[in-house]
Amino acid sequence: MSEEAADSVSVFEQHGGFPVFEAADPGPGFGRFVTAMRRAQDLAVSANPDAHVWDAAADRVEELVKLLAPYEAPEGVGPANRVPSLPGAGSLLMPPWTVAKFDPDGVEVQVDFSRYYVGGNYAVHGGVLPLLFDSVFGMVIHAAGRPISRTAFLHVDYRKVTPIDTLLTARGWVREAEGRKAFVNAELRDADGNLLAEANGLMVRLLPGQP
């Protein structure tokens, strides 16, 4: 590792009281599980079966809870949000983004929102886009080699309706940095380049011991 790269790692690791999260390798079964759970989320908000089917589905979900409950672990121990190769890093909370670019000058992710994210009239719920942008902001900070930061504010402008079942591209970059502060921008576009939404925010580096 070069001296410059080592310095970047050293700076990044100065991250207040935030725990150090490392990438996880839980095996292919976890990837299958996350894929199936994402599909289950879609069906949970779209299926309309007979009443007895809901009873059967509830029985199976309760069995799944019983299976996994003994293995509940602290944050940063379970693989969720720690498998970069999986959509949304393996976290069901996150939209299923995949990273296309991760450089100091900016980050690019691709995302395809499914039925689970519908807010109305088959459009992505407006509250989901700040979640996406906040995730992008965090990646931007990491890619730029800045220490762990918290979001101080995040402003979103909605330009067009964001569709589901369509491959979209989100881009983010640091617009300006000043001491502990990093002002960041992001945008979401469709395959034709149409601007769907854009965001700007302030990320502030944590102080030593700060959660």
Side-chain angles (χ1 to χ4, degrees), residues 24-183:
D25 183 14
F30 180 70
R32 288 177 52 215
F33 171 78
V34 172
T35 298
M37 287 295 294
R38 286 195 184 278
R39 180 58 180 149
Q41 288 182 155
D42 290 336
L43 292 170
V45 300
S46 62
N48 185 31
D50 295 334
H52 74 277
V53 176
W54 284 125
D55 288 331
D59 289 341
R60 296 186 185 187
V61 172
E62 288 169 358
E63 284 299 316
L64 176 60
V65 171
K66 289 179 183 178
L67 175 65
L68 293 178
Y71 304 99
E72 189 170 1
E75 181 185 12
V77 176
N81 205 36
R82 296 199 301 123
V83 188
S85 61
L86 293 179
S91 171
L92 293 175
L93 172 66
M94 297 299 160
W97 45 257
T98 56
V99 179
K101 175 187 174 183
F102 190 85
D103 294 329
D105 63 342
V107 167
E108 179 178 308
V109 303
Q110 294 184 321
V111 61
D112 187 345
F113 295 101
S114 63
R115 179 69 181 274
Y116 178 68
Y117 297 97
V118 166
N121 202 24
Y122 290 95
V124 175
H125 193 294
V128 174
L129 297 188
L131 176 61
L132 172 66
F133 284 133
D134 198 36
S135 300
V136 171
F137 286 172
M139 286 185 266
V140 165
I141 292 298
H142 192 174
R146 293 183 62 83
I148 291 287
S149 303
R150 288 285 194 185
T151 308
F153 71 75
L154 190 161
H155 175 85
V156 178
D157 289 307
Y158 300 90
R159 301 305 186 188
K160 288 181 177 291
V161 171
T162 300
I164 63 167
D165 298 327
T166 303
L167 190 63
L168 309 173
T169 300
R171 298 182 179 87
W173 62 94
V174 175
R175 183 179 78 251
E176 180 183 356
E178 178 184 333
R180 294 174 57 210
K181 298 179 180 180
F183 296 90

Side-chain angles (χ1 to χ4, degrees), residues 186-205:
E187 61 181 24
L188 180 67
R189 294 181 181 269
D190 64 17
D192 295 324
N194 295 308
L195 181 63
L196 306 176
E198 56 187 337
N200 64 83
L202 170 61
M203 306 293 287
V204 179
R205 175 176 59 81

